[in-house]
Each structure stands twice: as C-alpha cells, then as structure tokens.
Amino acid sequence: MSDLQYAGEFELNELEIIASSGVTISLLKACLEINIYESIFSNSLTGNITVVDTNDLAQNMPFIGQEQLLLKISTPTLDNPIDFTKNAFMIYNVSVNTELSAGAAVYVLEFCSPELLRNNRVRVSKSFTDTPSQILENIMTDSRYINTTKKINLEKTSGIKNIVVPNQRPFDFLRSLIQDCKSEEGSPHYLFYETVRGYNFRTLQNLYKEGAKSTYNNGDAGPDEKVGNSLGIQEAFDRAIVCDVKTPNNALNDSRAGMFGAKVISHNIFNKSYEVNTYGYFTDFDKHARIDGKKDRPKYNSNLKEWPDSRIYLHPTSASGSLDAQYRDSNNSNSSIVANKISETILHRKERMYELNFGKNVGLTVHGNTSLVVGDIVELNYAAAGKNHNIGTLDKYISGRYLITSLRHTFSPATNDHQINMIISRDSLPNVLPLIADVAEVKITGYGQVNYIT
C-alpha cells in the first residue's frame, strides 16, 4: 500500500456494476462521487454513486434497478478498507438521469445493503423460545430470512423468552424485539445497526467502554501544527473542517417527550392487576452508565422538577412472579421462560434514545479515513469563543467524549478527496452546571382573574 500524501487521500481499488443481463462494467474512470450513509438508528447501509456516461449505459446495460455494485475503497497506510467485493451492494433506483451535454449524461444510482432488499421480500412467521440475542442471530443468519454472511458483533441478552412472530418483516420484528431486551449487565439500551464493518447488536454501555478512535479540534490551527504554510497530515486529520454545535436544550420538546419524567402502567392480564413504574431524569440519571462514567452531569439544573405525567405508556403483561404465566411446556410447567419486562426497560430506553437524538449534538466535517464508523467514540477539544475569563481555553460544556451516531462518507475521485460528515452525540454534560440558589422554575404570585362575559 502506498504512503499517505495528504489528509483525506483514498484509493478507489474497485468499482464495478454487474447488470441483471450478466454484463459487467468498470466505473473507475466514470465516477464523480460516492456517498455511503451509516446510522446507529438504521438497520442497513445506504448510499449513492454519481456517474458520468458517454457510452449510453442506460440502454446498453441497461439500468433497471436490479444491478449489483462491487466496491472497494482504502486509505493508504491503513489495513481496514471499505470492501464490498464479496458482499455486493444492490442498486435499487436511478434517482437522477440528466443530459450533461451532447453525448454525455449524468446518473445518480441509489444503492443499499442486500439485507435491506431481502427484508422487504420475506416474512417471519414462527415461534421462538430463546434469549433475544439468539433469536436475532437466528433471523439474521437463517437462509429463510435475512441470510447474511457478514460479521455480527452481538452482545448477549439475559432471560429466555417465548415469542410468536405474526408474519412480520424481519427488521420490523427485530426493532420491536429490542424494546424489551436487557443485557447480562442489566442495560436496556440496545442498538441494532449496520456499518461498513458488519452488523452490531450492542448496548450503549458496551460502546462506551471503547477508547476514543480520533480526537478533533476546532478553530484556527496553532503554529506548532503547521509544516511550512500548511498543516501536517496528522494535524489536518485532527482539525475539523466544519464544527457546528447544535442547540442542546429545548425544554418544551423535552417535556413532551418525557425526558424530565414519565410513567408506564403495566396491566397484568393473568392476575387482573396493574403496576405503575415511574422515571425521573434526576432520580434515575446514574442508574445506567453514561458516556463519561463518573464524570457525567445532567444538562438541566436539579431545581427543575420531575413530571411523571408528561409521558404515559400502557403495556400488557402476563406475569406470575417473574415467569410468563401463559407459557407451558409439554409437562404443563414453566421453569425458565420470563414474562414481559418492558416496564423495566421502556422508560429508560426511550429517554436515552431521545437524549442521543436531541441532546448535546455536534455536526463535524473532517478529512476522512476508512477506519471510522458509527458507534465509535471520539474526543472533541472545542475552543471557547470570545474571552476566556481565566476559565481555560476549552469550552467545558462542549469538549469531551462523544459517540458517532450518524455518518456520511463522501469520496470524490476527481480530486481524490475523502471527507466525513457526522453527527456526534453525548447523553450528559462533562461538567456540573453552576447553581448559586435554588430558584423555582416558575415564580407564581397573585391569583388568576376571571372575567365573565355576557
């Protein structure tokens, strides 16, 4: 592999399209741009490729949304390329077909993982008696269902469940399955997503155990980062091209979403009783590990009250003790199949996923490399704006560890430049907010005045 000459350099090793007719064509010299999208909230990869055509490929291949895309891209000096030569992408749509000039046209070909297409073509209609992690593994690898041969990073779940899948698409069922999953360490924060490295079924806490893969800095580069008039290669990788800090708090939306407080009413259809479980943002803040471990702090001050009625869930269960009262084996007994425990998972899970989507988020554009994927941890050193007032040069509420929640690889063969646009998120603040006095959220004085109008 050749040496790296500048940050963002890449090698387009292979780019071929195999048509449904059997025709194979290389697009190495015709490709204008490649985009690959990843998200921890998405079950499959998607992307698009922009192609300039001077050979009337639309008629000669032709493009009908039934093609395979073989792709391999690498970063010089790194040993982990993006390689889809054995597990090809599937082209499912031609979204743009524009004449560029006389005898030339531009196409944008939309592609996705073959597992996503297969998910829309098959159904699961079966009963399972196993742990949720084993059920997921069976559906992903079974030739009747998703039938993937890709690597699966799987964190085991606790508790054996008896589940009947009523003719659902595989991914639809798996999305509902993870709502009631708990890890062997008790975490309900499972994610099921695909990266260019394979599939992942892991909890947030498992991701948080990883060390930071990269460190990024914002602002102007210091003299010690430069080689001549430009940045050194590693310094250029570490310097964000664009750093967009999102607004972290929206108290109105946070209230409606149940982040400050929520409750779930579990109706036991076996013994005709119900149970109410509540969640409080400050009360339960440290119940499950967050991104910084013991350094995590809430993004609101604790003088804000908790409001459990702001979000209410109702869910049925059939429990006799901790076991499922509806399940009976061939001996008319049940000694291991646990009852629905969604009352212990849904509140914590919903709140944490909401925080990752609408909490402390930063948009970054950086020079790319093929080793970075969603689910990785990165460090952000964010230089504070304006005067530092002797409190340090870094913003203590923005700098720190972040989780990559969504990512787009953009490869431009014309300039041989690879950039990554990503959203990085954290579920806490790295430092405590100042609290000088316990000020009530709303100061109420006097009485409401009612005017009767006739």
Side-chain angles (χ1 to χ4, degrees):
M1 185 174 290
S2 61
D3 293 334
L4 189 66
Q5 302 179 60
Y6 55 88
E9 182 186 7
F10 71 95
E11 295 178 351
L12 185 55
N13 307 108
E14 187 169 344
L15 181 62
E16 292 184 350
I17 289 183
I18 303 175
S20 59
S21 61
V23 176
T24 301
I25 185 170
S26 173
L27 297 179
L28 287 174
K29 296 182 179 180
C31 177
L32 296 180
E33 185 176 273
I34 302 170
N35 291 292
I36 301 176
Y37 301 92
E38 300 178 10
S39 172
I40 62 171
F41 305 110
S42 177
N43 303 137
S44 291
L45 298 175
T46 58
N48 58 65
I49 175 172
T50 304
V51 177
V52 60
D53 175 24
T54 58
N55 296 305
D56 198 14
L57 296 177
Q59 297 293 326
N60 295 326
M61 289 199 69
F63 289 134
I64 59 174
Q66 196 180 341
E67 295 76 35
Q68 298 180 56
L69 175 66
L70 303 180
L71 174 66
K72 184 177 181 181
I73 304 174
S74 60
T75 299
T77 72
L78 295 183
D79 294 327
N80 44 2
I82 296 174
D83 189 352
F84 285 85
T85 55
K86 296 181 180 179
N87 290 290
F89 284 119
M90 299 299 297
I91 294 174
Y92 65 90
N93 184 37
V94 182
S95 61
V96 175
N97 184 351
T98 303
E99 184 175 349
L100 187 64
S101 63
V106 171
Y107 307 128
V108 176
L109 309 176
E110 308 280 345
F111 60 82
C112 66
S113 300
E115 290 83 1
L116 182 58
L117 276 182
R118 188 166 178 84
N119 172 69
N120 291 327
R121 295 170 175 171
V122 300
R123 298 271 178 166
V124 181
S125 185
K126 188 180 186 303
S127 65
F128 295 91
T129 303
D130 216 324
T131 60
S133 56
Q134 188 60 54
I135 294 173
L136 180 139
E137 181 182 345
N138 290 341
I139 289 177
M140 291 298 295
T141 58
D142 195 312
S143 59
R144 295 170 295 175
Y145 308 129
I146 298 300
N147 194 31
T148 186
T149 59
K150 295 176 181 176
K151 178 181 178 182
I152 303 176
N153 294 315
L154 187 144
E155 183 182 358
K156 291 184 178 180
T157 56
S158 62
I160 297 175
K161 297 183 179 295
N162 180 54
I163 298 175
V164 178
V165 188
N167 203 36
Q168 287 183 287
R169 290 189 174 93
F171 287 167
D172 291 345
F173 164 64
L174 294 178
R175 278 193 292 269
S176 64
L177 176 68
I178 65 176
Q179 303 295 320
D180 189 26
C181 288
K182 293 181 74 173
S183 70
E184 293 180 336
E185 296 180 356
S187 169
H189 303 122
Y190 269 97
L191 298 165
F192 172 54
Y193 62 96
E194 185 187 10
T195 73
V196 294
R197 303 280 169 258
Y199 276 93
N200 295 267
F201 181 63
R202 304 169 65 183
T203 61
L204 284 173
Q205 288 70 26
N206 185 268
L207 296 174
Y208 291 162
K209 292 178 181 179
E210 302 288 339
K213 298 294 178 64
S214 299
T215 300
Y216 297 109
N217 309 297
N218 76 315
D220 297 328
D224 59 330
E225 297 181 73
K226 294 185 178 180
V227 178
N229 294 322
S230 61
L231 289 173
I233 294 177
Q234 187 58 53
E235 288 75 16
F237 272 120
D238 295 343
R239 180 68 52 181
I241 301 171
V242 177
C243 185
D244 178 20
V245 179
K246 311 296 183 182
T247 303
N249 294 4
N250 185 321
L252 182 63
N253 290 343
D254 291 349
S255 298
R256 185 63 180 253
M259 203 196 82
F260 299 139
K263 69 169 59 170
V264 56
I265 303 171
S266 302
H267 175 218
N268 193 322
I269 60 178
F270 173 69
N271 59 25
K272 307 299 187 293
S273 64
Y274 71 92
E275 179 183 10
V276 178
N277 293 79
T278 61
Y279 168 84
Y281 179 58
F282 302 103
T283 303
D284 296 308
F285 185 82
D286 293 322
K287 186 166 184 178
H288 298 285
R290 294 175 180 266
I291 193 166
D292 261 334
K294 296 181 179 180
K295 299 179 182 179
D296 299 288
R297 298 293 183 268
K299 69 173 188 173
Y300 287 97
N301 265 328
S302 57
N303 53 8
L304 177 67
K305 294 182 179 179
E306 297 177 340
W307 306 89
D309 286 335
S310 62
R311 189 84 175 183
I312 301 176
Y313 302 91
L314 176 63
H315 201 86
T317 186
S318 57
S320 177
S322 63
L323 299 179
D324 189 345
Q326 295 189 98
Y327 178 79
R328 291 291 184 273
D329 60 18
S330 58
N331 296 321
N332 196 32
S333 65
N334 176 18
S335 60
S336 60
I337 308 303
V338 298
N340 188 315
K341 295 289 186 180
I342 203 166
S343 62
E344 300 176 6
T345 62
I346 188 170
L347 299 180
H348 292 272
R349 177 179 173 78
K350 291 285 188 182
E351 180 275 333
R352 191 66 67 90
M353 297 303 143
Y354 176 84
E355 274 197 276
L356 286 177
N357 272 305
F358 304 104
K360 179 66 74 172
N361 294 341
V362 180
L364 289 181
T365 300
V366 300
H367 294 291
N369 67 78
T370 54
S371 66
L372 208 61
V373 297
V374 293
D376 284 345
I377 300 292
V378 297
E379 291 269 1
L380 177 62
N381 295 326
Y382 187 84
K387 296 181 179 179
N388 62 22
H389 300 284
N390 297 319
I391 59 175
T393 59
L394 296 181
D395 189 308
K396 64 179 182 179
Y397 298 120
I398 298 177
S399 300
R401 280 165 55 91
Y402 284 80
L403 176 73
I404 302 176
T405 53
S406 62
L407 176 153
R408 182 185 73 197
H409 291 279
T410 299
F411 302 94
S412 302
T415 57
N416 200 30
D417 183 45
H418 173 200
Q419 290 190 1
I420 293 177
N421 295 277
M422 57 184 167
I423 299 296
I424 59 175
S425 308
R426 56 179 297 125
D427 52 17
S428 62
L429 294 181
N431 288 280
V432 65
L433 290 169
L435 182 62
I436 300 173
D438 191 6
V439 182
E441 182 183 15
V442 178
K443 186 177 181 180
I444 301 175
T445 60
Y447 299 92
Q449 181 178 347
V450 179
N451 296 320
Y452 293 98
I453 301 174
T454 58

